[in-house]
Amino acid sequence: AMENSMLLHRLETAHRDLRETQERLIQGEKLAVLGEMAASVTHELKNPLVAIGGFAKRLEKFLADGSREQEYARIVAHEVTRMEEMLSNILAFSKKQMLCFDSCCIPDILHDALALEKDGQREKNIHLVTDIDQTLPLVQGDQQKLRQVFLNIFTNARQAMEQGGTLTVRAFAATMRGDPAVGVEVEDTGGGIPDDILRNIFNPFFTTKDEGTGLGLSISHRIIELHKGEIEVQNRQFGTAFILRFPVGLPLTTFH
């Protein structure tokens, strides 16, 4: 009787696991179809938006400086640009990622991304502190995608410090699951993230901002996973720190 009871329990457990797996597969298929639809709609919307934005910018140049009409044209051009960015993020999230791996120098990529963020940080009165080890080993990765990851994190840090603050970027030798790795830490003084929000920041379409799609960190998380890396976020005394680790010496090839 005890053996039969144990067998019945195992059978019920296996049946429950099988049902949960089936539900996940069905949900995955639905999300795949939804992603294809989103990609198709996004592609169709981008063409007319480009035309609208282009004509709005041309109108802005021809209208009298300081006029209400020029201000309206400027608003249209700005909002179109914002919509184009949103659609690009949705398209990047919904379509398959293709990465071209090569030997990458993480310190050089960090410097490139920081150079692109320089003007935005200056406008927000953000003081930059760097501690980047230039002697770190190379990693196998897609340089363009890694730059996108760092830019997304720097942008989030800048938006968290609306009244100014300090952005600290470190790059150092690390380990990951006992193997050599390159570590990157990005710390801001933006006050931190509430715990209930912290758990969801990598979820698609989750955002606490008035602007944006909430896809930046989700896309970054996916890119890091494709690089066999890790990312975690911690609240510190004055703000938030993102810690990234990338393995050294993995024989990676092109991924989709």
Side-chain angles (χ1 to χ4, degrees):
M2 290 180 64
E3 288 178 359
N4 288 338
S5 177
M6 292 175 63
L7 286 171
L8 181 61
H9 177 70
R10 289 198 199 114
L11 184 61
E12 289 175 347
T13 302
H15 179 68
R16 184 174 61 252
D17 292 342
L18 182 61
R19 186 171 62 249
E20 290 175 355
T21 302
Q22 185 181 25
E23 290 174 355
R24 284 197 297 269
L25 286 172
I26 293 172
Q27 184 66 15
E29 290 177 359
K30 289 180 180 178
L31 289 174
V33 172
L34 185 61
E36 291 177 4
M37 290 176 59
S40 177
V41 172
T42 299
H43 183 73
E44 292 299 321
L45 285 174
K46 286 195 75 174
N47 291 332
L49 277 178
V50 170
I52 293 169
F55 281 117
K57 290 176 182 177
R58 290 177 65 182
L59 278 174
E60 184 183 345
K61 294 178 181 178
F62 285 111
L63 295 170
D65 290 340
S67 66
R68 184 176 297 179
E69 289 80 6
Q70 188 185 56
E71 180 64 20
Y72 290 161
R74 185 178 295 114
I75 291 172
V76 171
H78 176 268
E79 292 302 309
V80 166
T81 300
R82 190 161 68 90
M83 289 184 68
E84 288 176 353
E85 292 175 356
M86 291 171 62
L87 290 174
S88 296
N89 282 335
I90 293 172
L91 190 61
F93 182 79
S94 60
K95 71 178 182 181
K96 291 182 179 179
Q97 294 275 357
M98 187 174 74
L99 282 72
C100 299
F101 284 87
D102 199 357
S103 296
C104 294
C105 177
I106 293 295
D108 288 348
I109 299 174
L110 282 171
H111 287 304
D112 289 346
L114 286 170
L116 294 173
E117 265 287 293
K118 188 176 181 179
D119 291 339
Q121 292 172 358
R122 186 186 296 115
E123 289 177 4
K124 296 294 184 181
N125 195 28
I126 294 173
H127 176 60
L128 176 64
V129 177
T130 59
D131 181 13
I132 299 174
D133 184 356
Q134 289 292 147
T135 65
L136 291 171
L138 300 176
V139 303
Q140 294 296 311
D142 186 311
Q143 184 167 319
Q144 183 178 354
K145 296 296 185 183
L146 290 175
R147 187 188 298 114
Q148 180 185 353
V149 168
F150 296 137
L151 272 174
N152 286 339
I153 295 174
F154 295 157
T155 299
N156 275 278
R158 170 168 50 81
Q159 292 172 348
M161 297 184 285
E162 286 292 333
Q163 306 304 318
T166 300
L167 178 68
T168 305
V169 180
R170 306 180 183 92
F172 48 89
T175 58
M176 193 174 69
R177 296 183 288 273
D179 295 322
V182 172
V184 176
E185 185 175 288
V186 181
E187 184 176 359
D188 63 58
T189 57
I193 304 173
D195 291 338
D196 58 329
I197 295 176
L198 196 65
R199 294 191 296 268
N200 297 308
I201 60 171
F202 295 117
N203 292 343
F205 303 104
F206 179 82
T207 180
T208 59
K209 304 166 189 171
D210 295 333
E211 297 185 2
T213 58
L215 288 173
L217 288 178
S218 298
I219 294 171
S220 297
H221 189 269
R222 180 189 292 180
I223 292 172
I224 292 168
E225 284 186 335
L226 289 173
H227 282 80
K228 306 300 181 185
E230 298 176 344
I231 181 170
E232 61 176 304
V233 57
Q234 299 175 356
N235 276 325
R236 300 282 175 85
Q237 183 178 2
F238 299 109
T240 305
F242 284 84
I243 302 99
L244 298 80
R245 299 179 190 87
F246 299 96
V248 174
L250 283 180
L252 299 177
T253 55
T254 303
F255 281 75
H256 294 272

